Amino acid sequence: MNKINLFIILTILINCYFGNNQVNGKFHQELGWKQSLTREFIDPNTPITFRIYVKQQNFEQLKIKVRDVSDPHSNNYGNYLSVNEITSIISPSKESLTLIEKWIQPFNPMEIEFNDNQDCIFITMSKQNIEKLMNIKIFKFIHQNGKIILRSPIDPIIPSSLLKHIDLITGISHFPVYKLKNKINSLSSSSSSSSSEGLQIISIKGTGEFLTVEYQPSCSPNCNGKYFPMDVTVKALNQVINNTIVTNNVQPSCTVTDGVPVCKVFANSFVYQPSEVSITDTVSNQVLTWDHPIVSLPIVLPQTIKQYYGIPNHYQVSHPNATQCVVEFEQQYYSPTDLEQFFNSMGLPTNVSVNVIGYNDETNPGVEASLDIQYLMGVAPNAQTTFWSIYANTSAEIDDILQWAVAISTHPNPPLVNSLSYGMTEGNVDTYLGNGYMARSEIEFAKLAARGLTVVIASGDSGAYDLGGPPMGANGCENARGDWPSNSEYVTAVGSIYFTPYSAPICYDSVSSGGVNCQSLPIGEVGVSIDYGTMWTSGGGFSNFTETAYYQKDFVNEYLNKLKELGISPPSNLFNSNGRAYPDFSTVGKNLYVINGGEWLSVDGTSASAPIFAGMITILNDIRLNKGLPQLGFLNPLFYQIARTNPEAFYDVVVGNNRCGLSDSTPVCCDFGYTATTGFDTVSGLGRPDMSVLMEIIDQF
């Protein structure tokens, strides 16, 4: 036999054994990682930890169980499953576990641990043995920001015989993603141009009767430290009012960053009235007008929320099992000092301790974490609260929500209500987190529902198209896109609305069409949208990957028919009308007052809405538990039923759309989006819970 034929035979045999089984690849040049060119020595005994997610059994059976214990009409409503009961349904076959162990053991793992459900294996092994096990090479990679990591540039290669037994492997070819942070705080929106020359508006933030304009001055980039006064013009867009405020000769405060000057001016504004904002350079007389409406809104405090949402101001959670949790990623930590100051300033009880799971750097609090824990505990004071921190190598890694879901699914005493303000465009999940990541997450969410846990997810801050560019978002208006994990059937997705008396469509009509001045009307709520005066848009729409949830089908069909009747339905080729519709509900997400690192600031985002909603559910759990009833658990089936039988339990948001979003932090508006209507819609879901009603009826189920 000649050498060529021998080589061909060996190649065929290797391919038959291993196949082309590269899984979970996450190395993408555009993410900024490069293999180190220096051939420095890496100790072959360097320990590396990875996870194998073993393929589970009987998911359909688990789904039936979830429906049974979550259906208020079922005799088993509230009879949630234990860890052992879930394991008996979902655990992998003995064949799977045996084959995987036989594959691993010859390579001398330093540590091997199975979770309680037997469906996830945590393994620590030396670098050289991982390379042999998975037929890969591990190298040092350096990010453009200087971070270093050991990874394989190709996916783990596993024997063909194991393919049907493994969902995915993480920790081998996963490259941390440094995403652009769009934390929407007091000065966070960016300009419509990336040029460093000439007059440009960077951001506008309205707070009550004042607004702040951040801009690049006309003299940029060569101002030589000389900055001249600006005029700021605010013109009400409501034709019924037709008012204008001009604040003249405002002296700016300016700083220079990377050679580019940035200035701020403070001016008078209208409260609640959508307005056009212009700035004028008093020296060059150059005038620049922001392209979108701006609305200036009062600061929101926990007391504001309780007043408008029907929560007794002095209500305190009393049942010890009415527990709640914020889940944090991306090196988001909280400061106990900030939290105590928040409690003191808001007149809230301060004698509540926080249970921390994972690492928390108290000296380095993040706005996200501060917002989450302050408003979760501010809405539901005195509840036992957990701060669950998932370790990240960097402050901008993609959120490993699956890691948290696996951990809490077998926790002996898990928090009952869990708020997560993280996610990404659904179409990017498997690309950047690994093939099968989203499907496996769906099973894990179902396990949490079976255990009676509530998972509240922020619906995203970039409208119906999830704009923002990869990895977290997408570009273009060709197709509407869903956000993950809001697209899951087993979570409760929460969008954002804001307080305003301009809460009816007639408030925005022209005089000729019968428009009226709504300034003195009672406070209502409107969907957060660039078209309605904010610098971002609450996420909502239809999934392209998951089907319409069983509990919402009638509501979704009614909404789609209504859009057609009104002639405002997006073209059918732009969205999947059979997809999971979200959000399910909405709460306020604009101008929340937060203290972070000792500094007070106002913060926006569905990141605010999720913990507020979660706190409301904790209150309802408290009522039920004190009456000997089980917690609400996976609440969507019940709440959709309540919306049908007791529609007064939800405030109906009828103004708003989500056609706009942010791309590279710049507002972008597509031609089509989803519009708020009466009843369920994909702007605000079923609307905002009215706690004065829900607190009265929640013990009837």
Side-chain angles (χ1 to χ4, degrees), residues 183-346:
K183 177 44 57 194
I184 306 170
N185 56 32
S186 57
L187 285 171
S188 65
S189 302
S190 18
S191 98
S192 56
S193 172
S194 58
S195 171
S196 61
E197 297 182 3
L199 184 64
Q200 297 176 48
I201 294 175
I202 298 173
S203 72
I204 305 173
K205 177 77 173 185
T207 305
E209 297 178 345
F210 303 95
L211 58 77
T212 303
V213 182
E214 187 177 35
Y215 67 97
Q216 180 179 287
S218 301
C219 55
S220 178
N222 302 311
C223 295
N224 299 318
K226 296 180 180 180
Y227 306 102
F228 300 99
M230 303 290 289
D231 294 341
V232 181
T233 302
V234 180
K235 179 182 178 181
L237 292 174
N238 187 321
Q239 296 180 34
V240 178
I241 300 173
N242 198 26
N243 287 339
T244 300
I245 298 176
V246 180
T247 308
N248 292 311
N249 295 309
V250 184
Q251 190 64 42
S253 60
C254 303
T255 58
V256 178
T257 303
D258 297 328
V260 179
V262 174
C263 300
K264 283 190 271 186
V265 290
F266 301 90
N268 297 315
S269 182
F270 300 108
V271 183
Y272 297 124
Q273 297 177 22
S275 303
E276 177 187 87
V277 177
S278 303
I279 57 174
T280 304
D281 186 311
T282 58
V283 174
S284 68
N285 289 322
Q286 182 179 356
V287 180
L288 187 63
T289 301
W290 184 250
D291 292 335
H292 308 277
I294 291 294
V295 64
S296 188
L297 302 167
I299 287 291
V300 174
L301 308 176
Q303 291 88 337
T304 317
I305 297 167
K306 293 175 183 179
Q307 175 188 349
Y308 290 137
Y309 288 3
I311 303 171
N313 192 44
H314 298 293
Y315 187 95
Q316 292 190 33
V317 174
S318 59
H319 200 285
N321 293 337
T323 53
Q324 57 186 9
C325 174
V326 291
V327 186
E328 304 296 338
F329 308 85
E330 303 172 6
Q331 293 184 342
Q332 282 287 320
Y333 309 122
Y334 92 98
S335 162
T337 302
D338 284 345
L339 186 59
E340 184 174 8
Q341 178 62 53
F342 182 82
F343 288 156
N344 286 328
S345 298
M346 301 300 166

Side-chain angles (χ1 to χ4, degrees), residues 600-667:
W600 288 98
L601 66 160
S602 64
V603 180
D604 295 4
T606 54
S607 298
S609 302
I612 289 170
F613 183 89
M616 296 161 72
I617 301 308
T618 295
I619 291 174
L620 299 178
N621 274 346
D622 186 52
I623 294 171
R624 290 178 61 84
L625 292 169
N626 277 317
K627 294 194 175 183
L629 297 170
Q631 73 269 20
L632 289 171
F634 175 45
L635 56 82
N636 290 11
L638 172 63
F639 273 32
Y640 273 81
Q641 176 190 308
I642 290 176
R644 187 70 75 191
T645 59
N646 301 83
E648 71 278 8
F650 299 96
Y651 172 85
D652 193 5
V653 179
V654 295
V655 172
N657 70 54
N658 52 22
R659 73 185 184 99
C660 303
L662 294 173
S663 184
D664 293 329
S665 302
T666 300

Side-chain angles (χ1 to χ4, degrees), residues 520-629:
S520 59
L521 293 180
I523 295 296
E525 285 164 288
V526 164
V528 169
S529 169
I530 290 170
D531 273 341
Y532 284 88
T534 61
M535 303 288 276
W536 58 284
T537 299
S538 181
F542 296 84
S543 170
N544 294 314
F545 290 81
T546 56
E547 296 180 354
T548 306
Y550 65 92
Y551 46 78
Q552 64 174 189
K553 284 186 176 180
D554 289 345
F555 290 90
V556 171
N557 289 335
E558 290 169 11
Y559 176 55
L560 293 172
N561 289 334
K562 194 172 300 180
L563 291 180
K564 290 179 182 177
E565 291 171 7
L566 296 172
I568 54 175
S569 178
S572 59
N573 63 316
L574 283 182
F575 73 106
N576 175 25
S577 60
N578 296 313
R580 159 75 156 111
Y582 73 98
D584 299 298
F585 310 97
S586 293
T587 66
V588 63
K590 178 74 179 161
N591 274 13
L592 282 294
Y593 214 37
V594 171
I595 185 169
N596 185 71
E599 176 187 359
W600 288 98
L601 66 160
S602 64
V603 180
D604 295 4
T606 54
S607 298
S609 302
I612 289 170
F613 183 89
M616 296 161 72
I617 301 308
T618 295
I619 291 174
L620 299 178
N621 274 346
D622 186 52
I623 294 171
R624 290 178 61 84
L625 292 169
N626 277 317
K627 294 194 175 183
L629 297 170

